[in-house]
Amino acid sequence: MARTILLLDGNSLTYRAFFALPSDMATASGQVTNAVFGFTSMLQYLLNEQKPDLVCVTFDRPEPTFRHEMVKDYKAGRAETPDILRQQMGLVRQVVEVLDLPCVEVIGFEADDVLATLATQARAVGDNVIIVTGDRDSYQLVEDAPADGSAGSIRVLYNKRGVSDYALYDEAGIVERTGVHPTVYPLYASLRGDPSDNLPGVPGVGEKTAAKLINDYGDLDGVFSAGVAKASPKLRENLIAWEEQVRSNARATPLIRDVPNVTIDVLRAPNPDLGAAREMFKALEFRALSDRVLDAFATTWGIEGTGGTASPQGNLKPLELNLRTVTSAIDLVLPTEGNVAIVGSWVGTAGRSELTGLALATEAEVQFVPADVVPHIIDALASMFASDVVWVHGHKIKELLRSLHFLGLPLDHLEALGLDTAVAGYLLDPAENVYALDELARQYAEIDVRPTDAAPIGQLDFGGSAASDLADATGRNAAAIVVLVEPMLTSMRARGLQKLYDEIERPLIAGLARMEALGVRIDTTYLKELSQSLTSQARTWELEVQRLAGEDFVVNSVPQLRRILFDKLELKSGKKTKTGYSTDAQALEPLREDHPIIDAIFRYRELEKLRSTYGENLINEVGSDGRIHATFNQTVARTGRLSSDQPNLHNIPIRSEEGRQFRRAFIPADGCELLVADYNQIELRVIAHLAQDPGLVEAFRTRADVHSETAKRVFGVEAAEVTLAMRSKAKMVSYGLAYGMESFGLAQRLSIPQKEAAEILNAYFEAFPNVRAYMDASVNEARNKGFTETLFGRRRLIPDLQSPNYSRRMAAERQAMNAGIQGLAADIFKVALVRLDQALVDGGFASRIILQVHDEIVVEVPFAEHDAVGALTVETMRDAAALDVPLETNVSWGKTWADAKG
């Protein structure tokens, strides 16, 4: 009987996971875990979906491969792997090891070659192989099983993007996807090129042209003879000029199917140490995912004792589903009172792609509304959301509101908005990374959402494509929300979180939905000109780096830059990685005085990052209405702060002059101006209030220059003797304390010895003794309770305060010190955001909040509303919380965001 073999490309899947999930997913000790979480989630899904008999994971080795010897500058154009991704590769390998998954990697060969070798051998003995990767080179391996049964098959489960978008390709699928048969894919790829491997293709030859050339002429000899003769003049010119490059590509593109000493004997079913696996997942804080992964091992290989609370064989109750499909607006039956849950489904990203349908559920039944019917029920949905006798619940409902708004749903009246189970899950446990609906149902209602023999429905669910599957999956999500409402409300009440949800987080959902739907207008002409200018400047500095190096080379290539700096120029670095001396900013900073090339490298990198990260990215995010509609997240940052993505507007640079220029691209609608309001020293005011330090409180009450006052006390001088340097150091200490900074961090920021930094910190605590007392009390209270709590009731779990590991315990203490400060500052800002948004809506103003960045609120204001909205903003932000020090707000105006910020 043919076996199912699952082969995983570890590097590819980890890389995709890293860029698909938020980079601020981290443990309480600060270890970023988004790539590890994504990889582990993929593994769990794949095991449930494919039920393999045998499995193997492959990784690339750091050493050069035979292709580096064959092709000059092979992969040289790749950007340096981000440090936070590199740090997680070791953790991914530990996950593979603790789960006892066979792992193969061979010096001199890429992971793809190992996959090709194992797949070829397995097919030859009749096995059916599924290769899971995000690398298109694997397309050449695809082979259907022969009709006579003399061999097995090889298919590719290709990770198109993110962690939830896959396609399973057989031979026909490859032909449909690329236009060529897998056997000639290397030739097709050689013509098209592969920028990720630094294998340039023929200019003007894209996928369609490459496929036509190969299909018409069979091979490269045919392309470069008969094909050239019949080509258009421009194509003929390019083919002739690039023939050598294409033939070089063709030598590097084929995968090796006989890597030495690699045999299918390595393939086997795993037998993990369950205790060790649970300990590792506990350390990574993958609470719910741990159960899902171990359940997948139990289901796939029957490993006894694996299952956790998520096991469908446990005490979970199956979800009852009374489902019907609505065929027209007339068929829709909206409840007249009580609870209703609403859930959407999308082609791609929730809220950012086409709706495929939505489900509405009550305790009695679930109604699935197909996409073509949704536009016809918008008026009915608007009445439901504005009702005073119905509560409308959802899971990440803001994304659905956004989609419905673009179909005509007004967002100014959402009085019926009830429980968002994802936001509730976040308040109950802000340390969790992903608030998957099926996991919340298991945890709080002991309900198994999944249908029999189905993969879990959740954030990383791959979903079915058939209409019946879609209706069932969406309907189950809606039904699960109805069941979850009461137990989650009960849990929030028990932990004192109900008021926090009702007064801050729930109205914030509506406010953020309005903000995202409106978006912020962009001057695309200016932005394109700025991007072009940065491109030119970056090129100038790239040439300067090459001039200082004495030769042309790829500045973004780590191996080439390493050779220039440490071999040719013989600079000395103290930071070394497994592959050689590091070229990251931290490693190069001490070398600035040793050679002018270092400053040039920093300048080039700064401009190149601005160009690629902000110039191109922002332009690509501008919608057809000329506005950027970013996403603002409530359930990511553990401190309670909001985060932003698609694009991340919180990272719009402000430190460099070039960076600040990007804010000039943010403009108001015609007839309007931008109001920018932010709190003045909010964290320091929070510290003064919480610590009740007389010196700080007095400084804020008398409106003194708090940094000069701090410098006077810390350095023991009179006010007239405070220098700018003293004030700067005092400011750094004050803000650093809000983020748990200690002497090491202060020393780095001020570029002073750690001993001097420690002396400055000690002097600060002597000057403001109540601050030290507050921080110590915060740690002790958190250690006793297991969590910190803000004045508004927001909790943050900090379990590592009891850790026997010294470094983890110290990191947890720093978190406990600043959690109350950061949490209260976040709460105050959210209150201000909610109240201002509601005041604008209730007051009948045309002005609307269009952007939130850290402690800034940006409002688009018609000229006629200038005075009224300005006064309203100041009043609302000032009265957001009653502290023992005044909350002061800076308000400014301008025709661009940059103008308003002065």
Side-chain angles (χ1 to χ4, degrees), residues 542-560:
E542 183 181 29
L543 292 173
E544 176 66 5
V545 172
Q546 293 172 345
R547 185 190 70 79
L548 292 168
E551 63 177 89
D552 291 345
F553 72 102
V554 180
V555 179
N556 282 337
S557 166
V558 174
Q560 292 187 47

Side-chain angles (χ1 to χ4, degrees), residues 609-840:
K609 181 176 181 180
L610 289 172
R611 179 198 66 79
S612 60
T613 304
Y614 304 110
E616 294 180 358
N617 189 32
L618 289 178
I619 292 172
N620 293 336
E621 292 290 349
V622 178
S624 59
D625 59 354
R627 303 175 80 97
I628 284 179
H629 300 269
T631 296
F632 294 87
N633 305 302
Q634 284 176 266
T635 62
V636 174
R638 299 180 183 187
T639 58
R641 287 188 175 273
L642 296 169
S643 68
S644 168
D645 59 33
Q646 296 182 277
N648 184 354
L649 296 180
H650 286 187
N651 278 355
I652 298 295
I654 58 173
R655 292 184 179 179
S656 67
E657 179 57 34
E658 291 89 350
R660 285 191 290 271
Q661 293 304 311
F662 279 104
R663 295 194 171 203
R664 296 198 179 280
F666 291 72
I667 60 176
D670 294 340
C672 297
E673 57 190 326
L674 294 183
L675 176 156
V676 178
D678 63 359
Y679 279 115
N680 182 15
Q681 302 169 328
I682 182 68
E683 289 96 344
L684 305 189
R685 294 172 190 273
V686 166
I687 291 175
H689 173 81
L690 293 175
Q692 287 293 295
D693 189 277
L696 283 179
V697 170
E698 181 65 18
F700 281 118
R701 283 179 174 172
T702 59
R703 297 178 179 244
D705 180 340
V706 70
H707 299 310
S708 294
E709 186 67 22
T710 300
K712 184 180 73 172
R713 292 169 177 258
V714 169
F715 296 105
V717 297
E718 296 299 322
E721 299 173 10
V722 173
T723 65
L724 287 176
M726 290 178 180
R727 185 182 183 280
S728 178
K729 289 180 179 180
K731 181 178 180 180
M732 188 69 70
V733 172
S734 297
Y735 280 111
L737 290 174
Y739 291 88
M741 185 176 65
E742 294 186 331
S743 59
F744 176 76
L746 181 62
Q748 286 191 317
R749 293 196 181 194
L750 296 178
S751 298
I752 60 176
Q754 188 172 348
K755 181 180 179 181
E756 182 181 347
E759 291 172 352
I760 293 175
L761 276 177
N762 289 335
Y764 179 94
F765 288 129
E766 288 179 7
F768 303 103
N770 282 21
V771 175
R772 173 85 273 176
Y774 162 75
M775 291 185 165
D776 290 342
S778 296
V779 173
N780 291 332
E781 183 178 2
R783 183 176 287 113
N784 293 331
K785 291 182 175 180
F787 59 87
T788 62
E789 189 170 16
T790 71
L791 298 181
F792 286 84
R794 186 181 305 278
R795 294 186 178 188
R796 180 177 177 183
L797 303 175
I798 308 184
D800 277 349
L801 285 169
Q802 305 292 346
S803 174
N805 182 288
Y806 176 79
S807 60
R808 293 182 66 174
R809 192 170 66 252
M810 291 299 100
E813 289 189 2
R814 290 192 294 273
Q815 291 163 13
M817 289 177 186
N818 69 48
I821 300 167
Q822 290 297 310
L824 180 54
D827 287 343
I828 292 172
F829 182 79
K830 283 183 174 179
V831 169
L833 194 65
V834 165
R835 291 183 181 177
L836 179 58
D837 169 73
Q838 200 60 55
L840 292 173

Side-chain angles (χ1 to χ4, degrees), residues 73-134:
D73 294 335
Y74 180 64
K75 293 189 177 182
R78 288 192 175 183
E80 187 170 2
T81 303
D83 285 340
I84 54 176
L85 172 55
R86 188 184 300 110
Q87 293 164 7
Q88 293 182 76
M89 286 303 304
L91 291 174
V92 171
R93 290 172 182 268
Q94 288 180 43
V95 168
V96 170
E97 180 180 353
V98 80
L99 292 175
D100 193 40
L101 297 170
C103 181
V104 180
E105 46 190 327
V106 180
I107 294 177
F109 295 89
E110 297 181 36
D112 288 343
D113 298 313
V114 176
L115 290 172
T117 301
L118 293 172
T120 301
Q121 293 180 22
R123 179 180 184 268
V125 298
D127 292 328
N128 293 317
V129 180
I130 297 175
I131 298 172
V132 188
T133 182

Side-chain angles (χ1 to χ4, degrees), residues 588-602:
L588 296 187
E589 182 65 38
L591 306 180
R592 279 187 183 269
E593 302 299 322
D594 297 344
H595 198 286
I597 196 173
I598 303 300
D599 278 335
I601 290 169
F602 275 112

Side-chain angles (χ1 to χ4, degrees), residues 169-180:
Y169 292 130
D170 55 10
E171 288 184 11
I174 296 298
V175 173
E176 180 181 358
R177 168 65 182 85
T178 67
V180 299

Side-chain angles (χ1 to χ4, degrees), residues 43-94:
L43 175 65
Q44 167 257 320
Y45 167 77
L46 291 165
L47 296 183
N48 279 325
E49 183 73 7
Q50 303 300 333
K51 301 291 192 300
D53 298 294
L54 308 176
V55 67
C56 186
V57 183
T58 66
F59 288 101
D60 288 329
R61 294 280 305 178
E63 297 87 358
T65 70
F66 71 93
R67 292 184 180 86
H68 290 85
E69 300 176 4
M70 179 186 300
V71 179
K72 182 182 179 181
D73 294 335
Y74 180 64
K75 293 189 177 182
R78 288 192 175 183
E80 187 170 2
T81 303
D83 285 340
I84 54 176
L85 172 55
R86 188 184 300 110
Q87 293 164 7
Q88 293 182 76
M89 286 303 304
L91 291 174
V92 171
R93 290 172 182 268
Q94 288 180 43

Side-chain angles (χ1 to χ4, degrees), residues 81-404:
T81 303
D83 285 340
I84 54 176
L85 172 55
R86 188 184 300 110
Q87 293 164 7
Q88 293 182 76
M89 286 303 304
L91 291 174
V92 171
R93 290 172 182 268
Q94 288 180 43
V95 168
V96 170
E97 180 180 353
V98 80
L99 292 175
D100 193 40
L101 297 170
C103 181
V104 180
E105 46 190 327
V106 180
I107 294 177
F109 295 89
E110 297 181 36
D112 288 343
D113 298 313
V114 176
L115 290 172
T117 301
L118 293 172
T120 301
Q121 293 180 22
R123 179 180 184 268
V125 298
D127 292 328
N128 293 317
V129 180
I130 297 175
I131 298 172
V132 188
T133 182
D135 193 329
R136 291 182 294 180
D137 286 341
S138 61
Y139 288 177
Q140 64 190 273
L141 302 175
V142 172
E143 295 183 89
D144 292 345
D148 61 6
S150 59
S153 65
I154 300 176
R155 292 176 292 169
V156 167
L157 189 62
Y158 179 71
N159 178 223
K160 295 192 289 186
R161 65 177 183 269
V163 294
S164 60
D165 191 356
Y166 277 69
L168 183 60
Y169 292 130
D170 55 10
E171 288 184 11
I174 296 298
V175 173
E176 180 181 358
R177 168 65 182 85
T178 67
V180 299
H181 192 272
T183 53
V184 293
Y185 180 84
L187 305 180
Y188 156 90
S190 300
L191 286 165
R192 183 206 62 204
D194 188 344
S196 67
D197 287 340
N198 200 29
L199 300 177
V202 179
V205 175
E207 294 187 351
K208 291 183 179 179
T209 303
K212 180 171 174 39
L213 288 170
I214 293 300
N215 289 330
D216 286 352
Y217 302 107
D219 57 21
L220 295 184
D221 289 339
V223 170
F224 289 109
S225 55
V228 167
K230 295 181 180 180
S232 66
K234 184 60 178 177
L235 179 57
R236 181 186 307 119
E237 178 185 344
N238 286 341
L239 286 172
I240 292 172
W242 287 78
E243 179 178 359
E244 183 179 346
Q245 177 65 55
V246 171
R247 292 191 181 276
S248 173
N249 293 351
R251 291 190 291 273
T253 302
L255 298 179
I256 303 301
R257 295 173 179 255
D258 56 354
V259 174
N261 302 316
V262 174
T263 71
I264 56 173
D265 293 341
V266 302
L267 302 175
R268 58 176 173 79
N271 185 26
D273 179 334
L274 303 182
R278 287 195 179 94
E279 281 301 311
M280 179 166 191
F281 289 134
K282 181 179 179 182
L284 291 171
E285 299 177 11
F286 294 169
R287 294 172 179 83
L289 181 58
S290 174
D291 288 335
R292 294 207 305 268
V293 172
L294 298 182
D295 280 350
F297 273 71
T299 303
T300 304
W301 289 293
I303 301 172
E304 294 185 6
T306 308
T309 59
S311 173
Q313 291 80 21
N315 297 321
L316 297 176
K317 300 181 289 291
L319 180 69
E320 299 295 335
L321 188 66
N322 179 19
L323 177 69
R324 72 179 182 89
T325 297
V326 174
T327 57
S328 71
I330 299 174
D331 293 334
L332 181 69
V333 179
L334 289 179
T336 55
E337 60 181 359
N339 295 325
V340 57
I342 185 168
V343 170
S345 58
W346 289 265
V347 171
T349 304
R352 290 182 166 272
S353 60
E354 184 181 350
L355 265 174
T356 53
L358 59 83
L360 294 114
T362 63
E363 293 182 1
E365 72 166 356
V366 180
Q367 302 172 84
F368 176 74
V369 184
D372 60 339
V373 179
V374 174
H376 303 291
I377 66 168
I378 292 298
D379 290 344
L381 294 179
S383 297
M384 181 181 72
F385 276 110
S387 171
D388 58 0
V389 292
V390 172
W391 282 112
V392 184
H393 312 288
H395 183 80
K396 300 184 178 179
I397 197 171
K398 176 167 61 66
E399 283 73 10
L400 179 58
L401 290 172
R402 176 173 172 151
S403 289
L404 293 176

